[in-house]
Amino acid sequence: MRKAWVLVVGIGAGLLLALGVSRAVQAQTDAPPWRESYSGLPLCLPGVYLSDPGDCLPLGPSQRLTAWARLGLTLPPRPLPASTPDPALNDSPVLIARINLPAEEPAPLYASLDDAVAGQNPVRFIDPGPLRYVSFVEVQRVNGKPYVRLRSGEWLRASPIAYSTFQGLIFHATPNHDFGWIVDLAGPAEVRSAPGYDAPKTGLVLRRYQVVPIYTVQRVGNMDWYLIGPDQWIERTFIRQVRVNPTPPPGVEGDRWIEVNLYDQTLAVYNRGQLIFATLIASGGEPFYTRPGLFQIYKKKPTETMSGAFAADRSDYYYLEDVPWTMYFDQARALHGAYWRAWFGFPQTHGCVNMSLGDAHWLFEWAREGDWVYVWDPSGQTPTDPSLYTPGGA
């Protein structure tokens, strides 16, 4: 009986062993050929991982999100810590009119409105030139034509003007990336999906003076391209950059300075290691460059009449009465409002740094005589030889 029991147990064990081997062989046969053999860490959930998470692999979407975050680009993008200054700063301290005569003709001034309308008995003349503006206290229209009376009491034919009300930004904290303004002199700014003219357009069109973040710059061919959003790139033709840098320039003493960037045509104001204001400017164009260097505001004047010519034949003569919010920093070169400028973001002056009236007013109220003005050109294209520079002008 015992032998029979042993025999049964032995047969049972053999059957179980054979069944196990059969199932193992079947499992190997049914295993899919694509089964992952890696047994390490799993992929991290999509997110930003600025340091090694340790328990997952920050690859795929996480890798891209982290690369953007290192540039300051987050999803959704964070707005700049800034606001627009008080619109009342745009108000001009004087009334301004443009002289309505061809540039080659002198402008006659008359003792009375009747003489001005009749065009007789002029008492003096303003020299010919393409840029002539006067401040006035009264305007009269005769036969549909405007005539203005100056503070001196003289009359002349001139048209009251409207001026640019563009304003920069006041900052409540220093942003962690650069930013800029769109300038569309060459037409609307079209955004591309990658740097380079071969990249597809996204369909996004940006307009003049729109503010955009700048996360990085990449050069393709002879053009710099700016990353302004996820897969959104714009060429330099259409943008002017503020290069955020709260470190004082060499030579600056104290914690207040104004930075004028000639290449980007921007102005930034720093106080106590923080960016507090930024805007677009118009600086000196060739050959009347704004001179690079470190200067100090030596004279502030609420209004200043500016005139002069640089060409031998005086064909570039300008006469500008009561230029508002003037801050001299380098001989006759000054920071000031420019009621005659329709565009900012392009060099076009005789050496001064032009701003909108609102921006110049804000800066005039903040600045003190003695404050530092750091003028530089990150491209290195502006000459630095002092012998090339005249005293400068508007």
Side-chain angles (χ1 to χ4, degrees):
M1 186 67 178
R2 181 177 298 173
K3 290 182 179 179
W5 173 252
V6 170
L7 179 61
V8 170
V9 170
I11 293 173
L15 290 173
L16 289 174
L17 178 63
L19 181 60
V21 170
S22 175
R23 287 180 177 175
V25 171
Q26 182 64 36
Q28 291 180 3
T29 304
D30 294 343
W34 43 263
R35 187 173 62 179
E36 177 62 64
S37 62
Y38 179 73
S39 59
L41 296 175
L43 284 177
C44 296
L45 293 174
V48 174
Y49 300 88
L50 297 178
S51 59
D52 187 355
D55 58 352
C56 62
L57 297 174
L59 301 175
S62 297
Q63 191 171 21
R64 192 173 199 194
L65 291 172
T66 300
W68 281 345
R70 294 187 189 281
L71 299 174
L73 197 167
T74 59
L75 293 179
R78 289 191 295 264
L80 287 172
S83 59
T84 304
D86 184 354
L89 292 170
N90 283 313
D91 295 343
S92 175
V94 294
L95 300 173
I96 297 295
R98 186 179 188 276
I99 294 177
N100 296 327
L101 285 172
E104 62 274 9
E105 294 183 16
L109 286 78
Y110 302 89
S112 69
L113 175 59
D114 289 340
D115 283 349
V117 173
Q120 61 187 15
N121 304 319
V123 295
R124 66 184 179 100
F125 293 86
I126 296 175
D127 289 347
L131 196 65
R132 294 177 294 177
Y133 291 79
V134 294
S135 63
F136 66 93
V137 295
E138 180 186 355
V139 60
Q140 293 286 342
R141 293 187 176 273
V142 180
N143 299 325
K145 298 177 181 178
Y147 295 84
V148 299
R149 179 169 64 87
L150 310 186
R151 285 181 295 174
S152 63
E154 299 162 311
W155 289 83
L156 80 159
R157 170 84 184 282
S159 295
I161 66 165
Y163 49 82
S164 172
T165 57
F166 166 78
Q167 287 182 280
L169 293 172
I170 294 175
F171 284 82
H172 315 298
T174 301
N176 63 353
H177 54 76
D178 294 351
F179 60 94
W181 281 272
I182 296 298
V183 291
D184 60 355
L185 187 62
E190 297 182 305
V191 178
R192 295 182 182 268
S193 59
Y197 295 113
D198 294 335
K201 296 177 182 178
T202 65
L204 179 63
V205 177
L206 305 177
R207 300 299 178 182
R208 188 198 310 181
Y209 297 153
Q210 185 171 339
V211 181
V212 294
I214 297 175
Y215 300 109
T216 191
V217 182
Q218 185 173 329
R219 191 156 186 90
V220 177
N222 295 321
M223 181 61 67
D224 284 336
W225 291 80
Y226 297 74
L227 177 66
I228 62 172
D231 300 323
Q232 295 175 351
W233 295 81
I234 194 85
E235 62 179 284
R236 185 189 181 273
T237 305
F238 298 106
I239 197 168
R240 298 294 179 264
Q241 179 181 9
V242 174
R243 305 175 186 227
V244 179
N245 181 11
T247 303
V252 168
E253 300 174 359
D255 53 11
R256 296 166 56 93
W257 72 94
I258 301 163
E259 177 195 289
V260 176
N261 184 320
L262 302 178
Y263 178 68
D264 296 309
Q265 291 291 286
T266 56
L267 178 145
V269 180
Y270 293 91
N271 188 25
R272 298 179 180 177
Q274 296 289 323
L275 175 69
I276 62 170
F277 182 77
T279 192
L280 290 170
I281 61 165
S283 69
E286 185 180 2
F288 309 117
Y289 298 105
T290 304
R291 179 166 60 161
L294 183 62
F295 311 94
Q296 288 177 280
I297 294 175
Y298 69 86
K299 188 67 174 178
K300 292 175 60 182
K301 302 186 71 174
T303 58
E304 176 78 312
T305 294
M306 301 180 180
S307 64
F310 292 84
D313 60 359
R314 295 179 60 84
S315 59
D316 63 342
Y317 178 77
Y318 59 90
Y319 181 82
L320 305 165
E321 285 191 350
D322 291 329
V323 174
W325 320 121
T326 300
M327 295 155 277
Y328 287 102
F329 66 91
D330 177 24
Q331 302 184 70
R333 280 175 279 270
L335 304 151
H336 61 74
Y339 47 70
W340 58 94
R341 296 277 176 230
W343 295 82
F344 294 95
F346 303 90
Q348 52 193 303
T349 80
H350 286 89
C352 282
V353 176
N354 289 185
M355 293 174 283
S356 70
L357 269 61
D359 288 341
H361 194 173
W362 184 95
L363 187 61
F364 189 89
E365 290 187 347
W366 177 85
R368 309 168 185 162
E369 292 183 2
D371 278 343
W372 297 98
V373 180
Y374 175 58
V375 183
W376 73 305
D377 181 349
S379 72
Q381 297 174 5
T382 304
T384 56
D385 184 352
S387 67
L388 299 176
Y389 290 88
T390 65

